[in-house]
Amino acid sequence: MPPDTSTSADHANRPPEAESWTTLKRFLPYLWPKDNPGLRWRIVIAMVLVLAAKGVTLALPFAYKHAADAMAGPVSEGVTVALALVVAYGLGRFTSLLFDNLRNIVFERVGQAATLSLAEDVFHRLHRLSLRFHLSRRTGEVTKIIERGTKSIDMMLYFLLFNIAPTAIELIAVGVIFYLNFGWELVAATAVTVVTYIAVTRWITEWRTKLRREMNDLDGQALHRAVDSLLNFETVKYFGAEEREEKRYSQAARAYAEAAVKSENSLGLLNITQSLITNALMAGAMAYTVWGWSKGELTVGDLVLVNTFLMQLFRPLDLLGWVYRTIRQGLVDMAEMFRLMDTEVEVRDAPGAPALIVRKPHLVFDNVTFGYDPERTILHGLSFEVPASGNVAIVGPSGAGKSTIGRLLFRFYDPTSGRILIDGQDIAQVAQASVREAIGIVPQDSVLFNDTLHYNIGYGAADASNDVIERAAQDAALTPLIEGLPDGFETMVGERGLKLSGGEKQRVAIARTLVKDPPILLLDEATSALDTRTEQEILATLRRIAAGRTTIAIAHRLSTIADADQIIVLEAGRLAEQGTHAELLSKRGLYAEMWARQANESAEEKAGGTEQ
């Protein structure tokens, strides 16, 4: 479904009714899918069952009335009629319940299909949003928006189709029946009561919706703080910040609790007001019937008829406030989810973009300029070349733009100006998926899924066989680890791979890339977080898998890339120097200065270790 092109400012300025209608219009295609006539037939059958159930419900009070009138006469004459009508009344109640449940059975697949389709569309959209969006949004809040939006659909559909619509039909039918049997006075009293009831319910519910929205925001904030704290469990422990984290979470949870108390108290006020209005009508209508009976114009059965009709009418009417709140809240939650779907996709494929075809993985940055924000440029007209099967390293001080190169290469962002070419093809003009398929990465922080080793290694290719996965594990020197685990490849690695050491996680990342088997390899400071011994082991593995591939190594420690074919030195997003390790040392420039500094630091560390 195409996204709504209105801006967030437009949404903020819209009245609630306009936004609700917009949300409903956007949802209707999910409810009435053009490509699924079976689901549309289910909706039609469900509505027929709704009308049948309502017809039976409207006939029941007449059976009750005539049974009461029959009992008011001589026993010998009325007993048979009364018994027959009582049996008919019981049978009618069962039939109404039967129709309602058959309706639910028929409609259940429709609601679930609509929910599934919308949830899939939202998930699809989220995976196509830019890295900028995912870095700026809180994961806990996003997941909460999706959860609330999808959960509201099924209940909202049920109430719209099977509560609001049947109640409206029943109101009209009861008005006609009251007019024909009791005159316009009772019809007018019922109409005024219902209008007052709806107006008061709507007014209080709108107030409650604001409280509910505030409560949802605070709930999302509390969830975000909890998720963020638990994901960074180790960092919290490092700094002994348990109390600090508990205090931050407690503040958010306490604010949510206060908002929840206000919301629940407002619900009590609404229920009291609704009960006052409906019971006033009940008392007045029955008093009117008793007055008519006292004048000989009405029978005892008429009192039963009025009472039964009003009781039947009040049952859905009593729920109307709850139903209205549920629908309004469902529309709010769905609108929030639709706004998430409407987030602009920053990096788009050009119309009809072909797939990238890599015969010779030759890579070129051609006068590339880029900044994450317009006010701050990171790369300033950067140009360099990586020949096919070449090994090029990129180094420089922190903030020089090294990691930005990797993000641009994967098309997480597009350059402000300039081009990035792979085998002579501008990656901005080809399909993003084909660009990412051609590149493998071993990052500094290898994040793993909370699943088995087999799943994480096989993630490199959707159709990877067991033989390919086992060979990749062997080539990444993971076999000794796996053989020492009781569950082998089926060992769970924990959330974000917390059960593995840094070196083990890097080996899993290397094995995953080997399964992918890309022609271009990006090593983004792949060993900077490891100890010296582990680093040397990982470097030996990386050199082995890089053979025959075009390799870009982004590095902080210069000793790890001294054997590169070419070393590119960045400074403040510009190309400062370029050459081999020996050439750059002979220039006595920035690279030589960095090399000398790191050599001194290494010597000091060794001296400190000797003293200890």
Side-chain angles (χ1 to χ4, degrees):
M1 144 174 294
D4 186 1
T5 55
S6 56
T7 65
S8 57
D10 295 333
H11 286 292
N13 293 329
R14 284 181 186 169
E17 295 81 1
E19 186 169 5
S20 297
W21 280 115
T22 301
T23 302
L24 277 176
K25 284 193 294 184
R26 288 192 65 182
F27 178 69
L28 283 177
Y30 293 98
L31 179 62
W32 191 261
K34 294 180 180 178
D35 58 346
N36 197 329
L39 289 181
R40 296 204 301 269
W41 270 111
R42 282 178 174 270
I43 295 174
V44 172
I45 293 170
M47 294 313 297
V48 169
L49 289 169
V50 167
L51 293 175
K54 192 53 62 181
V56 172
T57 301
L58 289 170
L60 290 177
F62 287 100
Y64 206 1
K65 161 188 162 57
H66 291 303
D69 285 338
M71 291 175 67
V75 174
S76 57
E77 297 177 6
V79 64
T80 304
V81 175
L83 280 173
L85 289 170
V86 167
V87 170
Y89 181 80
L91 184 62
R93 285 178 61 87
F94 170 76
T95 304
S96 177
L97 181 67
L98 175 67
F99 286 155
D100 283 342
N101 282 275
L102 287 175
R103 171 205 70 198
N104 292 342
I105 292 170
V106 169
F107 188 77
E108 181 61 28
R109 189 170 296 277
V110 178
Q112 292 299 329
T115 302
L116 173 63
S117 181
L118 183 54
E120 288 176 340
D121 282 354
V122 175
F123 196 71
H124 171 87
R125 182 72 171 184
L126 284 174
H127 271 290
R128 274 143 190 84
L129 294 177
S130 67
L131 180 63
R132 190 192 308 274
F133 169 85
H134 288 283
L135 291 177
S136 62
R137 289 299 294 259
R138 297 168 176 172
T139 304
E141 287 181 344
V142 171
T143 54
K144 199 72 174 179
I145 288 171
I146 297 171
E147 179 188 359
R148 282 197 296 255
T150 52
K151 279 187 175 180
S152 67
I153 295 168
D154 196 37
M155 188 172 289
M156 195 177 71
L157 280 177
Y158 180 88
F159 286 142
L160 279 172
L161 295 176
F162 306 139
N163 188 284
I164 298 295
T167 300
I169 294 171
E170 187 168 5
L171 276 170
I172 295 170
V174 168
V176 172
I177 292 169
F178 278 3
Y179 178 75
L180 294 176
N181 288 271
F182 306 106
W184 64 269
E185 295 89 351
L186 196 54
V187 176
T190 304
V192 169
T193 301
V194 169
V195 170
T196 303
Y197 182 95
I198 293 173
V200 170
T201 299
R202 183 179 179 278
W203 177 72
I204 297 179
T205 303
E206 290 296 339
W207 170 52
R208 293 197 71 242
T209 300
K210 295 177 182 177
L211 296 176
R212 178 82 182 194
R213 189 179 287 117
E214 178 186 351
M215 188 177 72
N216 283 346
D217 290 341
L218 293 169
D219 187 23
Q221 186 181 75
L223 178 68
H224 158 69
R225 289 187 178 178
V227 170
D228 197 35
S229 180
L230 293 174
L231 285 177
N232 293 284
F233 175 80
E234 288 181 272
T235 305
V236 174
K237 290 292 184 184
Y238 293 152
F239 292 94
E242 291 91 345
E243 286 190 22
R244 197 186 319 164
E245 289 298 315
E246 290 166 10
K247 185 176 180 181
R248 288 181 73 241
Y249 175 73
S250 179
Q251 288 173 344
R254 191 175 293 112
Y256 166 75
E258 289 297 323
V261 167
K262 290 181 182 178
S263 180
E264 289 304 312
N265 288 347
S266 65
L267 174 61
L269 175 63
L270 177 61
N271 289 337
I272 292 170
T273 307
Q274 289 173 332
S275 180
L276 178 64
I277 294 171
T278 54
N279 283 292
L281 173 62
M282 175 72 79
M286 294 184 69
Y288 175 80
T289 310
V290 170
W291 178 67
W293 168 78
S294 68
K295 295 172 61 178
E297 296 173 357
L298 299 176
T299 66
V300 173
D302 289 321
L303 178 67
V304 172
L305 182 71
V306 170
N307 179 71
T308 307
F309 266 125
L310 289 179
M311 290 292 289
Q312 288 183 176
L313 186 62
F314 288 163
R315 196 174 299 118
L317 207 58
D318 281 342
L319 292 175
L320 186 61
W322 180 52
V323 169
Y324 180 74
R325 290 192 306 274
T326 302
I327 292 174
R328 280 288 293 124
Q329 186 56 45
L331 289 171
V332 168
D333 292 338
M334 284 180 63
E336 199 170 358
M337 189 165 63
F338 280 131
R339 280 196 290 274
L340 196 64
M341 291 178 67
D342 294 339
T343 304
E344 187 67 24
V345 177
E346 184 177 342
V347 180
R348 294 178 179 272
D349 285 339
L356 176 69
I357 300 173
V358 182
R359 297 182 180 89
K360 291 184 178 181
H362 173 234
L363 193 147
V364 175
F365 267 59
D366 180 18
N367 198 30
V368 171
T369 299
F370 173 76
Y372 295 104
D373 298 309
E375 300 81 15
R376 185 182 173 217
T377 301
I378 304 296
L379 300 180
H380 302 265
L382 181 63
S383 296
F384 64 86
E385 186 174 344
V386 184
S389 301
N391 179 9
V392 172
I394 300 174
V395 301
S398 297
K402 302 186 297 296
S403 294
T404 299
I405 289 173
R407 289 175 172 178
L408 290 174
L409 188 58
F410 269 95
R411 274 203 78 191
F412 291 153
Y413 304 91
D414 279 334
T416 307
S417 63
R419 300 182 304 164
I420 302 172
L421 307 176
I422 296 179
D423 202 358
Q425 301 158 74
D426 187 345
I427 65 172
Q429 302 303 318
V430 298
Q432 297 174 58
S434 64
V435 173
R436 291 165 191 156
E437 188 177 347
I439 309 170
I441 183 170
V442 181
Q444 176 182 356
D445 181 18
S446 298
V447 178
L448 306 182
F449 292 94
N450 189 9
D451 211 304
T452 63
L453 278 169
H454 185 279
Y455 176 84
N456 277 283
I457 295 171
Y459 200 78
D463 55 352
S465 65
N466 287 335
D467 290 341
V468 170
I469 292 172
E470 289 173 9
R471 187 165 57 252
Q474 184 177 358
D475 291 343
L478 269 172
T479 305
L481 167 68
I482 294 170
E483 289 178 347
L485 296 170
D487 296 326
F489 276 98
E490 297 306 309
T491 301
M492 298 293 290
V493 303
E495 191 165 359
R496 298 170 66 87
L498 287 176
K499 291 183 180 180
L500 302 181
S501 69
E504 290 166 348
K505 286 199 293 183
Q506 291 300 79
R507 292 192 189 282
V508 173
I510 292 169
R512 186 159 59 187
T513 301
L514 286 171
V515 169
K516 185 176 183 180
D517 193 24
I520 300 171
L521 185 61
L522 176 65
L523 308 176
D524 188 1
E525 304 203 43
T527 63
S528 64
L530 305 177
D531 61 85
T532 305
R533 180 178 176 181
T534 307
E535 179 184 58
Q536 293 307 313
E537 294 173 355
I538 297 293
L539 281 174
T541 306
L542 290 174
R543 290 188 184 102
R544 188 169 65 251
I545 71 166
R549 305 177 197 269
T550 300
T551 306
I552 301 174
I554 298 170
H556 173 70
R557 285 205 279 265
L558 304 185
S559 58
T560 63
I561 49 85
D563 59 346
D565 302 335
Q566 283 283 311
I567 299 173
I568 294 168
V569 185
L570 298 183
E571 184 176 23
R574 293 180 173 86
L575 181 61
E577 297 174 332
Q578 185 172 358
T580 65
H581 173 68
E583 290 170 349
L584 291 172
L585 285 180
S586 65
K587 289 182 181 180
R588 299 184 179 278
L590 178 59
Y591 181 83
E593 179 187 332
M594 292 169 60
W595 179 267
R597 186 182 303 117
Q598 289 189 11
N600 290 336
E601 290 172 356
S602 179
E604 289 174 2
E605 287 177 6
K606 288 180 180 178
T610 302
E611 289 175 6
Q612 291 176 356

